[in-house]
C-alpha cells in the first residue's frame, strides 16, 4: 500500500484480509493510495483508492456542468447551493439539495466551492457510494428522468441518496424583472407599461419571462445587463416580481453581490457593475427559489 509519504508491505497469509490504519493528515486534500496484491504464484492485482481529508465544510454546491469555465460563465445559479443539516453531528458533513433536471441523463457532482472542481469534487459509483477527486474526472451522480430530485450526501461515510418528487406549492401566473440596466427579450425594464414614459424599479415597468409549457414553476427569457445611465452613479440592479399591479409578491436575494438563492418577499436587491454586463439565458424556478443566469 503506497501513498504520499506513506508505504507499507503486509504479509497476509490468508485468502481474506481487512486492512485498517489511522493516519494523521496535516493538510486538507484528496489523497490517493495505490494497492497491489500478490499471491504465492506471483499473480498480481492492482487498485487505487482516493480518500478526501477535510475539515467540515462551510458550504457544498451541486454542479451540472463539467469545467471550471462553465462554473464562471454565470451571474448566479451555477453551481447550486445545497442545504446543510443542523444536527450537531451533521453540521458541515451532511447536505441536501432539491434540483430540477431539465434533460434526461444529466450528471451532477458536488463541490466544496463555487469556482473550481480542483479543491474537491464528489461523484458517485452508481450504487450509493460517493467517490472523491480533485477534478471533474470523477463519475457523476446520474439523473435519468426529467423532473425534480432531492439529493442528499453524507461525507461522514461517503454515501448519497437520490429520490424524485413532485412539488405541490402554489404556482404563479407570471414572473417579471424589475430594475435598471436590464432588458428581457429586448424590452427594457425602464419603460412604463402604462403610458410609455420612463420608469425604473417599478412593478408597472417590469418585463415578463416566459413560462415553461411543461413546468409551471419555471420561467425563462434572454436577459441583457448593461449600464443604463453611464453618466450617473451606475446603480444598476434588479429584483423579481409576480404582479404587474403591485409590489407583492416579490423576490430579492440572499446576497446583493454574489447571490445563491432568491428570497420570497425579503432579501437584498442584486446590484451589478460592468463585470456582469452581457446577455444571459435566465431561468427562474419559483419552487426552488433559484434564478440561473448563464452567459450566452
Amino acid at each position: 500500500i503506497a501513498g504520499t509519504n506513506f508505504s507499507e508491505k503486509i504479509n497476509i497469509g490468508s485468502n481474506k484480509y481487512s486492512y485498517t490504519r489511522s493516519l494523521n493528515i496535516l493538510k486538507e486534500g484528496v489523497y490517493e493510495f495505490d494497492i497491489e496484491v500478490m499471491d504465492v504464484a506471483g499473480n498480481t492485482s492492482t487498485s487505487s483508492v482516493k480518500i478526501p481529508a477535510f475539515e467540515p465544510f462551510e458550504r457544498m454546491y451541486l454542479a451540472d456542468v463539467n469545467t471550471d469555465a462553465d462554473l464562471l460563465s454565470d451571474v448566479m445559479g451555477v453551481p447550486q447551493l445545497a442545504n446543510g443539516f443542523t444536527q450537531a453531528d451533521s453540521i458541515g458533513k451532511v447536505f441536501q439539495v432539491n434540483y430540477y433536471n431539465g434533460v434526461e441523463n444529466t450528471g451532477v457532482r458536488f463541490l466544496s466551492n463555487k469556482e473550481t472542481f480542483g479543491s474537491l469534487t464528489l461523484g458517485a459509483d452508481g450504487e450509493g457510494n460517493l467517490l472523491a477527486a480533485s477534478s471533474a474526472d470523477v463519475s457523476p451522480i446520474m439523473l435519468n428522468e426529467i423532473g425534480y430530485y432531492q439529493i442528499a450526501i453524507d461525507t461522514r461515510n461517503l454515501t448519497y441518496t437520490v429520490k424524485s418528487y413532485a412539488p405541490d406549492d402554489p404556482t404563479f401566473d407570471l414572473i417579471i424583472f424589475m430594475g435598471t440596466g436590464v432588458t428581457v427579450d429586448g424590452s427594457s425594464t425602464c419603460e412604463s407599461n402604462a403610458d410609455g414614459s420612463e420608469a425604473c424599479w417599478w412593478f408597472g415597468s417590469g418585463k415578463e419571462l416566459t413560462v415553461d409549457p411543461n413546468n409551471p414553476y419555471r420561467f425563462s427569457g434572454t436577459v441583457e445587463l448593461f449600464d443604463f445611465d453611464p453618466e450617473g452613479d451606475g446603480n444598476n440592479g434588479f429584483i423579481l416580481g409576480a404582479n404587474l399591479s403591485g409590489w407583492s409578491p416579490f423576490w430579492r436575494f440572499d446576497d446583493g453581490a454574489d447571490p445563491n438563492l432568491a428570497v420570497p418577499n425579503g432579501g437584498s436587491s442584486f446590484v451589478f457593475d460592468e463585470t456582469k454586463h452581457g446577455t444571459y439565458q435566465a431561468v427562474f424556478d419559483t419552487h426552488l427559489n433559484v434564478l440561473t443566469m448563464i452567459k450566452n
Side-chain angles (χ1 to χ4, degrees):
I1 303 173
T4 305
N5 298 322
F6 167 70
S7 181
E8 184 172 16
K9 182 176 181 180
I10 304 167
N11 292 317
I12 295 176
S14 67
N15 62 4
K16 185 178 294 185
Y17 184 77
S18 178
Y19 176 80
T20 302
R21 177 172 177 136
S22 297
L23 295 175
N24 184 20
I25 303 297
L26 301 181
K27 182 180 178 181
E28 289 188 334
V30 178
Y31 290 82
E32 184 169 0
F33 297 89
D34 295 319
I35 304 167
E36 182 179 67
V37 180
M38 179 182 295
D39 68 9
V40 293
N43 302 302
T44 62
S45 178
T46 61
S47 184
S48 64
V49 60
K50 294 180 180 180
I51 306 295
F54 290 86
E55 295 291 340
F57 302 100
E58 290 187 11
R59 290 185 167 187
M60 290 293 288
Y61 301 88
L62 178 149
D64 56 7
V65 296
N66 299 309
T67 68
D68 287 2
D70 291 332
L71 293 175
L72 301 174
S73 68
D74 68 311
V75 167
M76 63 184 79
V78 180
Q80 184 179 325
L81 179 68
N83 297 316
F85 280 47
T86 58
Q87 293 89 338
D89 65 337
S90 304
I91 295 175
K93 303 172 185 177
V94 184
F95 298 86
Q96 179 177 285
V97 62
N98 292 348
Y99 172 78
Y100 180 73
N101 184 37
V103 181
E104 293 179 348
N105 300 317
T106 299
V108 300
R109 301 172 179 87
F110 283 84
L111 312 179
S112 56
N113 69 71
K114 296 175 68 171
E115 298 181 348
T116 180
F117 289 91
S119 298
L120 172 67
T121 303
L122 295 176
D125 66 356
E127 299 180 355
N129 302 302
L130 292 172
L131 303 176
S134 53
S135 72
D137 292 337
V138 65
S139 297
I141 298 170
M142 295 303 300
L143 307 178
N144 297 324
E145 305 294 332
I146 294 173
Y148 286 96
Y149 287 85
Q150 186 175 87
I151 308 167
I153 62 169
D154 190 335
T155 63
R156 296 170 303 185
N157 55 15
L158 291 180
T159 60
Y160 72 94
T161 60
V162 177
K163 65 179 182 179
S164 60
Y165 72 96
D168 59 4
D169 46 309
T171 59
F172 297 90
D173 293 332
L174 57 87
I175 294 295
I176 58 174
F177 269 73
M178 296 177 280
T180 60
V182 181
T183 68
V184 178
D185 295 328
S187 297
S188 173
T189 58
C190 283
E191 294 172 354
S192 170
N193 287 339
D195 59 10
S197 61
E198 184 176 282
C200 306
W201 284 106
W202 179 50
F203 53 83
S205 59
K207 294 299 180 292
E208 294 186 43
L209 298 173
T210 301
V211 66
D212 186 332
N214 299 312
N215 185 343
Y217 295 102
R218 291 175 69 83
F219 297 77
S220 64
T222 301
V223 174
E224 181 187 6
L225 304 183
F226 62 97
D227 190 354
F228 177 75
D229 182 12
E231 303 301 324
D233 59 12
N235 188 25
N236 300 294
F238 62 80
I239 65 174
L240 302 170
N243 188 355
L244 286 168
S245 302
W247 286 110
S248 184
F250 68 86
W251 292 260
R252 291 196 287 255
F253 300 92
D254 60 340
D255 187 311
D258 186 22
N260 290 295
L261 297 170
V263 180
N265 296 317
S268 302
S269 302
F270 176 62
V271 177
F272 59 87
D273 58 19
E274 65 275 2
T275 64
K276 299 296 191 295
H277 291 175
T279 303
Y280 299 84
Q281 181 64 24
V283 179
F284 182 51
D285 190 308
T286 64
H287 167 65
L288 300 176
N289 289 317
V290 172
L291 173 63
T292 304
M293 294 182 64
I294 300 174
K295 202 162 193 175
N296 285 349

